[in-house]
Amino acid sequence: MSAKKLNLKDKYRLLTRDLDWEYSYADRKKAFPYEEFEGIKITDWSKWEDPFRLTMDAYWKYQAEKEKKLYAIFDAFAQNNGHLNVTDARYVNAIKIFLTGVSPLEYQAYQGYAHVGRQFGGAGARVACQMQSIDELRHVQTQIHAMSHYNKYFDGFQDWTHMHDRVWYLSVPKSFFDDARSAGPFEFLIAISFSFEYVLTNLLFVPFMSGAAHNGDMATCTFGFSAQSDEARHMTLGLEIIKFLLEQHEDNVPIVQKWIDKWFWRGTRLLSIVAMMMDYMLPNKVMSWKEAWEVYFEEAGGALFKDLARYGIRMPKFVETTEKEKEHISHQAWWIFYNYGHAAGFHTWIPSDEEMDWLSEKYPDTFDKYYRPRWELAKKMEAEGKRFYSQALPQLCTTCQIPMGFTEMDDPTQIAYRSSDYEGEKYHFCSDGCKHIFDQEPEKYVQSWLPVHQIYQGNCGGASVEEVLRDYYKLNLGADNLDIKGSPDEQRWKEWKGVA
Amino acid sequence: MTYEVTVEPTGDVIEVEEGQTILDAALRQGVWLPFACGHGTCGTCKVQVVEGDADLGNASPFALMDVERDEGKVLACCAIPESDLVIEADIDVDPDFEGYSVEDFTARVISTVDLSPTIKGITLKLDNPITFQAGQYINLEIPGVQGSRAFSIANSPSDPSIVELHVRLVPGGAATTWLHETLKEGDELSLSGPYGQFFVRKSDVKDVIFIAGGSGLSSPQSMILDLLEQGDTRQIYLFQGARNVAELYNRVLLTELAEKHSNFHYIPALNAPTAEDQWQGFTGYVHEAAIDHFDGKFTGHKAYLCGPPPMIDSAISALMQGRVFEADIHMEKFLTAADGADSETRSALFKRI
């Protein structure tokens, strides 16, 4: 008798659940040592509903076709000097931030999912995490390949892994993932699968993909689409983990709420870099950060939290602050980088008159009132040959590690300072959100590797900032950093385009 | 121009407007399909087209591969029908679903009765017997009204020649106004059925809670009559919500059933009783009556909800806070044109509720 053909659900069940076994002589608690310490109670792993049913043979088939398409486009992009088709040399600086700041996070995600893919007692959750782990490795590889073409023609791409581990502003994304990966396995999934992949991912990928498309960057646009097609699995895993935890035991509800509060705020701080990219770095704009926040968080997230309310989950703490921040955050972030443009691995600039008009139109309540005057001043100083760079090292927020440049949202002329005392030391924060996160787990955050502290403690070499930048960060001074005006990037671009 | 899309394996049928995506139409008509991004880049909503043609829309080539396009797969979130379609989605068929086939019937009105000031009971005699699961509905054609209207069957399936409907008068509603004011005994009507995924999951032995509001008593009445006729011994709770005593219809029938069957418990709730009502029972919304009765803890029950959207919404919240979740909540929303198209953004968190 021939074997009955299995349907997808049965196949998947065999692939996951039936690979599991009962522990007869080994201690289950020792086999899954991280499953209980977070306080999460799992009463029945069989209630886990597989978020996606994809068998390995189908997985390889799909991924192979994706790769084939993607690399054909990369080849065409390289052969046709695709870098010449981007709108402007300024655009490429957004891609530098992506490669040094985001692509390494894909690698951290690969490591994180490989780790938790070993730690759950339920086979369904383990297999889902292992598959996502492989996806993330593919993402980092395709991104490196896509951007390798730019490395041949532009500065700032050459040492991205080294920079990710050391450069001050890159500690913002790096510490975000370090925080998630050093948490327990359930918190990791709420942090990355739910809060980041499900709630906030559209705010990262839509701007980058649409930004690339609007600015003639076919390679980035294509890897974006290729990565997004894996998001089906990632987002549904995020939804399943939250439903599963909330339904398994009522004691899990306050723990999950605490994690949502924490990771929503961590995520919004991380995204401030995307905010400034959308509003300031794309020569052809897609939409303003404020508009993106309204569509992708306030509307879509609002519907999600309305449904989550049924479980007794409320909106993340400090969400009301983000409603005010959307008017300010991109302007303040770009101003920070303009000030420290000599210490960044990409170029900065003053928005053009047309761009300032666009910002006025998109931010009628804030741009002309608070931010245009600063840029007008910077423009005047630049015209007088006095382009300035802040020489003092900035104070960093202990939680998000962003320089303390964000303001009180009810008074955008006053820098926000918060602090907490812990075991005789004072720690500083940019916001109530970051202070709250520290206060929940001070013993974790006192260990933060804060780049400015490290420089002052002499752990980054050099007696001067210039030595730190050159020897410890490995920036090519005069090429990777400073204003786009007068940079080698700009010089080459003008030569290619035949303009003086 | 609208197209009819049949969703297999459940057999749900949805109407898709010109230029509307399959997913949008399905979600608006209460038929759940898997989805995530909603704009063609993730591929969660991939379905197989078995019959008919559809425009693929803006499906990303990475979310819908060439081999899949050749096989007739589409992404429901951006596919637009170009003919009537039959699609196959990755959704589970309920083991308790009998899958009785939909047929067309001619029916004669054998009685109409005012159940309450706003609800009419209409009993129809069919030309051929109908086989249905208690809880399902029929689509009724109404003379002079475009499109059919859905009404749940209120009688038990044990008499297949009869269909009893409870019709609430919708202010300004052409169909219900006609049924209330013009329809008379002896008239002939066309209908088709049975439809729907609202039926008792008998294979699950948990005790059951029914929460009914307004004319939403119809399905639960059929389901309860069926369970009791079958000699089912599980505990059955019916919470019936109405404004006042006059609107609390079929109270005598249900009270008598509760007296006869020790496992059936009838708890009516009035949210606005009048002074003349001299109401001794629960005062408040029907979900509050359930919370009150079970002290807010519903663990170990299955729940069936039937009525207007706000009642369903409150009942789901009450149940989930009492720790009964999606897998054990089944519902039939009574939508009218007055409820409008459900235009709110939906999250992908829940499948059916």
Side-chain angles (χ1 to χ4, degrees), chain A residues 170-204:
Chain A
L170 297 175
S171 78
V172 175
K174 179 178 158 61
S175 63
F176 176 92
F177 244 94
D178 286 346
D179 189 353
R181 282 178 57 207
S182 56
F186 291 110
E187 183 179 345
F188 178 81
L189 284 202
I190 293 295
I192 307 302
S193 294
F194 177 72
S195 302
F196 203 70
E197 297 267 14
Y198 190 78
V199 184
L200 298 174
T201 194
N202 277 338
L203 282 162
L204 178 64

Short mmCIF file of all heavy atoms in Angstrom, two decimals, chain A residues 170-204:
data_model
loop_
_atom_site.label_atom_id
_atom_site.label_comp_id
_atom_site.label_asym_id
_atom_site.label_seq_id
_atom_site.Cartn_x
_atom_site.Cartn_y
_atom_site.Cartn_z
N LEU A 170 26.83 54.14 17.09
CA LEU A 170 26.44 52.76 16.75
C LEU A 170 26.23 51.91 18.00
O LEU A 170 25.68 50.82 17.94
CB LEU A 170 27.49 52.13 15.83
CG LEU A 170 27.60 52.85 14.47
CD1 LEU A 170 28.73 52.26 13.65
CD2 LEU A 170 26.29 52.77 13.70
N SER A 171 26.66 52.43 19.14
CA SER A 171 26.35 51.71 20.39
C SER A 171 24.86 51.78 20.69
O SER A 171 24.35 51.02 21.50
CB SER A 171 27.16 52.29 21.54
OG SER A 171 26.58 53.49 22.01
N VAL A 172 24.15 52.70 20.02
CA VAL A 172 22.69 52.78 20.25
C VAL A 172 22.02 51.51 19.72
O VAL A 172 21.38 50.79 20.50
CB VAL A 172 22.10 54.07 19.62
CG1 VAL A 172 20.60 54.08 19.75
CG2 VAL A 172 22.73 55.30 20.26
N PRO A 173 22.16 51.17 18.42
CA PRO A 173 21.58 49.90 17.97
C PRO A 173 22.24 48.67 18.60
O PRO A 173 21.57 47.70 18.94
CB PRO A 173 21.77 49.91 16.45
CG PRO A 173 22.78 50.97 16.17
CD PRO A 173 22.67 51.97 17.28
N LYS A 174 23.56 48.72 18.77
CA LYS A 174 24.24 47.54 19.31
C LYS A 174 23.74 47.22 20.72
O LYS A 174 23.44 46.08 21.04
CB LYS A 174 25.75 47.76 19.34
CG LYS A 174 26.55 46.58 19.92
CD LYS A 174 28.04 46.84 19.88
CE LYS A 174 28.81 46.00 20.87
NZ LYS A 174 28.70 44.55 20.67
N SER A 175 23.63 48.26 21.57
CA SER A 175 23.23 47.99 22.96
C SER A 175 21.76 47.56 23.03
O SER A 175 21.37 46.82 23.94
CB SER A 175 23.45 49.23 23.83
OG SER A 175 22.64 50.30 23.39
N PHE A 176 20.97 48.00 22.07
CA PHE A 176 19.56 47.57 22.00
C PHE A 176 19.50 46.04 21.88
O PHE A 176 18.80 45.36 22.63
CB PHE A 176 18.90 48.23 20.79
CG PHE A 176 17.47 47.82 20.52
CD1 PHE A 176 16.42 48.52 21.06
CD2 PHE A 176 17.19 46.72 19.72
CE1 PHE A 176 15.10 48.15 20.81
CE2 PHE A 176 15.88 46.34 19.46
CZ PHE A 176 14.84 47.06 20.01
N PHE A 177 20.26 45.52 20.95
CA PHE A 177 20.22 44.07 20.75
C PHE A 177 20.97 43.32 21.85
O PHE A 177 20.58 42.22 22.23
CB PHE A 177 20.76 43.71 19.36
CG PHE A 177 19.71 43.09 18.50
CD1 PHE A 177 18.95 43.86 17.63
CD2 PHE A 177 19.43 41.72 18.58
CE1 PHE A 177 17.94 43.29 16.87
CE2 PHE A 177 18.44 41.15 17.82
CZ PHE A 177 17.69 41.92 16.96
N ASP A 178 22.07 43.91 22.34
CA ASP A 178 22.77 43.27 23.47
C ASP A 178 21.81 43.10 24.64
O ASP A 178 21.82 42.08 25.33
CB ASP A 178 23.96 44.14 23.91
CG ASP A 178 25.13 44.07 22.93
OD1 ASP A 178 25.14 43.17 22.06
OD2 ASP A 178 26.03 44.93 23.03
N ASP A 179 21.01 44.13 24.87
CA ASP A 179 20.04 44.11 25.96
C ASP A 179 19.05 42.95 25.75
O ASP A 179 18.78 42.16 26.67
CB ASP A 179 19.32 45.47 25.97
CG ASP A 179 18.44 45.68 27.20
OD1 ASP A 179 18.28 44.72 27.98
OD2 ASP A 179 17.90 46.79 27.35
N ALA A 180 18.54 42.83 24.51
CA ALA A 180 17.56 41.77 24.24
C ALA A 180 18.19 40.39 24.36
O ALA A 180 17.61 39.47 24.93
CB ALA A 180 16.98 41.96 22.83
N ARG A 181 19.39 40.24 23.83
CA ARG A 181 20.02 38.91 23.81
C ARG A 181 20.49 38.47 25.19
O ARG A 181 20.64 37.28 25.45
CB ARG A 181 21.19 38.89 22.83
CG ARG A 181 20.73 38.77 21.39
CD ARG A 181 21.91 38.79 20.45
NE ARG A 181 22.86 37.73 20.77
CZ ARG A 181 24.16 37.78 20.50
NH1 ARG A 181 24.67 38.86 19.92
NH2 ARG A 181 24.94 36.76 20.80
N SER A 182 20.75 39.44 26.07
CA SER A 182 21.18 39.05 27.41
C SER A 182 19.98 38.91 28.35
O SER A 182 20.13 38.65 29.53
CB SER A 182 22.19 40.06 27.96
OG SER A 182 21.63 41.36 27.92
N ALA A 183 18.77 39.07 27.82
CA ALA A 183 17.56 38.82 28.61
C ALA A 183 17.21 37.33 28.47
O ALA A 183 17.89 36.59 27.76
CB ALA A 183 16.41 39.68 28.08
N GLY A 184 16.16 36.91 29.14
CA GLY A 184 15.73 35.52 29.03
C GLY A 184 15.07 35.27 27.68
O GLY A 184 14.79 36.20 26.94
N PRO A 185 14.82 33.99 27.37
CA PRO A 185 14.29 33.66 26.04
C PRO A 185 12.90 34.24 25.76
O PRO A 185 12.61 34.64 24.63
CB PRO A 185 14.24 32.13 26.03
CG PRO A 185 14.31 31.71 27.46
CD PRO A 185 15.06 32.79 28.18
N PHE A 186 12.05 34.31 26.76
CA PHE A 186 10.71 34.85 26.52
C PHE A 186 10.78 36.36 26.31
O PHE A 186 10.11 36.91 25.44
CB PHE A 186 9.75 34.51 27.66
CG PHE A 186 9.41 33.04 27.74
CD1 PHE A 186 9.89 32.25 28.77
CD2 PHE A 186 8.63 32.45 26.76
CE1 PHE A 186 9.58 30.90 28.84
CE2 PHE A 186 8.31 31.10 26.81
CZ PHE A 186 8.79 30.32 27.85
N GLU A 187 11.59 37.03 27.11
CA GLU A 187 11.73 38.48 26.91
C GLU A 187 12.33 38.76 25.54
O GLU A 187 11.92 39.70 24.85
CB GLU A 187 12.58 39.13 28.00
CG GLU A 187 12.64 40.66 27.80
CD GLU A 187 13.44 41.42 28.85
OE1 GLU A 187 13.75 40.86 29.92
OE2 GLU A 187 13.77 42.60 28.59
N PHE A 188 13.28 37.95 25.11
CA PHE A 188 13.87 38.16 23.79
C PHE A 188 12.80 38.13 22.71
O PHE A 188 12.77 38.99 21.82
CB PHE A 188 14.94 37.09 23.51
CG PHE A 188 15.56 37.21 22.13
CD1 PHE A 188 16.57 38.13 21.88
CD2 PHE A 188 15.11 36.41 21.08
CE1 PHE A 188 17.12 38.26 20.60
CE2 PHE A 188 15.66 36.54 19.80
CZ PHE A 188 16.67 37.47 19.57
N LEU A 189 11.89 37.17 22.79
CA LEU A 189 10.85 37.09 21.76
C LEU A 189 9.87 38.26 21.84
O LEU A 189 9.41 38.77 20.82
CB LEU A 189 10.08 35.77 21.83
CG LEU A 189 10.78 34.51 21.30
CD1 LEU A 189 9.75 33.44 20.96
CD2 LEU A 189 11.64 34.78 20.08
N ILE A 190 9.53 38.69 23.06
CA ILE A 190 8.64 39.85 23.17
C ILE A 190 9.36 41.09 22.65
O ILE A 190 8.78 41.94 21.97
CB ILE A 190 8.17 40.06 24.64
CG1 ILE A 190 7.26 38.90 25.08
CG2 ILE A 190 7.42 41.40 24.78
CD1 ILE A 190 5.94 38.77 24.35
N ALA A 191 10.66 41.20 22.93
CA ALA A 191 11.44 42.36 22.50
C ALA A 191 11.57 42.40 20.98
O ALA A 191 11.27 43.41 20.35
CB ALA A 191 12.83 42.33 23.14
N ILE A 192 12.02 41.31 20.42
CA ILE A 192 12.37 41.32 19.00
C ILE A 192 11.20 40.86 18.12
O ILE A 192 10.80 41.55 17.19
CB ILE A 192 13.63 40.47 18.73
CG1 ILE A 192 14.79 40.93 19.65
CG2 ILE A 192 14.03 40.58 17.25
CD1 ILE A 192 15.17 42.39 19.54
N SER A 193 10.61 39.71 18.42
CA SER A 193 9.54 39.21 17.54
C SER A 193 8.29 40.06 17.65
O SER A 193 7.66 40.39 16.65
CB SER A 193 9.16 37.78 17.92
OG SER A 193 10.23 36.91 17.65
N PHE A 194 7.92 40.41 18.87
CA PHE A 194 6.68 41.17 19.01
C PHE A 194 6.91 42.68 18.87
O PHE A 194 6.46 43.30 17.92
CB PHE A 194 5.96 40.85 20.32
CG PHE A 194 4.72 41.68 20.50
CD1 PHE A 194 3.60 41.43 19.73
CD2 PHE A 194 4.69 42.75 21.38
CE1 PHE A 194 2.47 42.23 19.83
CE2 PHE A 194 3.57 43.55 21.50
CZ PHE A 194 2.45 43.28 20.71
N SER A 195 7.64 43.26 19.83
CA SER A 195 7.72 44.73 19.85
C SER A 195 8.41 45.26 18.61
O SER A 195 8.00 46.26 18.04
CB SER A 195 8.48 45.21 21.09
OG SER A 195 7.84 44.74 22.25
N PHE A 196 9.49 44.61 18.19
CA PHE A 196 10.22 45.16 17.06
C PHE A 196 9.69 44.66 15.73
O PHE A 196 9.28 45.44 14.88
CB PHE A 196 11.72 44.88 17.21
CG PHE A 196 12.53 45.86 16.43
CD1 PHE A 196 12.61 47.18 16.84
CD2 PHE A 196 13.17 45.49 15.26
CE1 PHE A 196 13.31 48.12 16.09
CE2 PHE A 196 13.87 46.42 14.51
CZ PHE A 196 13.95 47.73 14.93
N GLU A 197 9.66 43.34 15.53
CA GLU A 197 9.26 42.81 14.22
C GLU A 197 7.79 43.09 13.93
O GLU A 197 7.42 43.36 12.80
CB GLU A 197 9.47 41.29 14.17
CG GLU A 197 10.92 40.87 14.31
CD GLU A 197 11.62 40.70 12.97
OE1 GLU A 197 11.08 41.16 11.95
OE2 GLU A 197 12.70 40.12 12.96
N TYR A 198 6.94 42.96 14.93
CA TYR A 198 5.53 43.16 14.62
C TYR A 198 5.09 44.62 14.76
O TYR A 198 4.51 45.18 13.84
CB TYR A 198 4.62 42.25 15.46
CG TYR A 198 3.20 42.32 14.93
CD1 TYR A 198 2.85 41.62 13.79
CD2 TYR A 198 2.26 43.16 15.50
CE1 TYR A 198 1.58 41.74 13.23
CE2 TYR A 198 0.99 43.29 14.95
CZ TYR A 198 0.66 42.58 13.82
OH TYR A 198 -0.58 42.71 13.27
N VAL A 199 5.38 45.23 15.89
CA VAL A 199 4.82 46.56 16.13
C VAL A 199 5.57 47.64 15.36
O VAL A 199 4.97 48.55 14.81
CB VAL A 199 4.80 46.89 17.64
CG1 VAL A 199 4.13 48.23 17.90
CG2 VAL A 199 4.07 45.80 18.43
N LEU A 200 6.90 47.54 15.31
CA LEU A 200 7.68 48.67 14.78
C LEU A 200 8.38 48.41 13.44
O LEU A 200 8.95 49.32 12.86
CB LEU A 200 8.72 49.12 15.81
CG LEU A 200 8.14 49.64 17.14
CD1 LEU A 200 9.26 49.91 18.14
CD2 LEU A 200 7.33 50.91 16.95
N THR A 201 8.34 47.17 12.93
CA THR A 201 9.17 46.87 11.76
C THR A 201 8.81 47.69 10.54
O THR A 201 9.68 48.07 9.76
CB THR A 201 9.10 45.36 11.41
OG1 THR A 201 10.16 45.07 10.50
CG2 THR A 201 7.80 44.98 10.76
N ASN A 202 7.54 47.99 10.34
CA ASN A 202 7.15 48.77 9.17
C ASN A 202 7.79 50.15 9.18
O ASN A 202 8.03 50.74 8.14
CB ASN A 202 5.63 48.90 9.08
CG ASN A 202 5.01 47.69 8.42
OD1 ASN A 202 5.68 46.96 7.70
ND2 ASN A 202 3.74 47.47 8.69
N LEU A 203 8.06 50.65 10.38
CA LEU A 203 8.68 51.97 10.49
C LEU A 203 10.15 51.93 10.11
O LEU A 203 10.75 52.95 9.81
CB LEU A 203 8.53 52.50 11.92
CG LEU A 203 7.15 53.05 12.23
CD1 LEU A 203 6.93 53.14 13.73
CD2 LEU A 203 6.96 54.42 11.60
N LEU A 204 10.74 50.78 10.14
CA LEU A 204 12.13 50.66 9.72
C LEU A 204 12.20 50.34 8.23
O LEU A 204 12.90 50.99 7.47
CB LEU A 204 12.84 49.56 10.53
CG LEU A 204 14.29 49.30 10.13
CD1 LEU A 204 15.15 50.52 10.40
CD2 LEU A 204 14.84 48.11 10.91
#
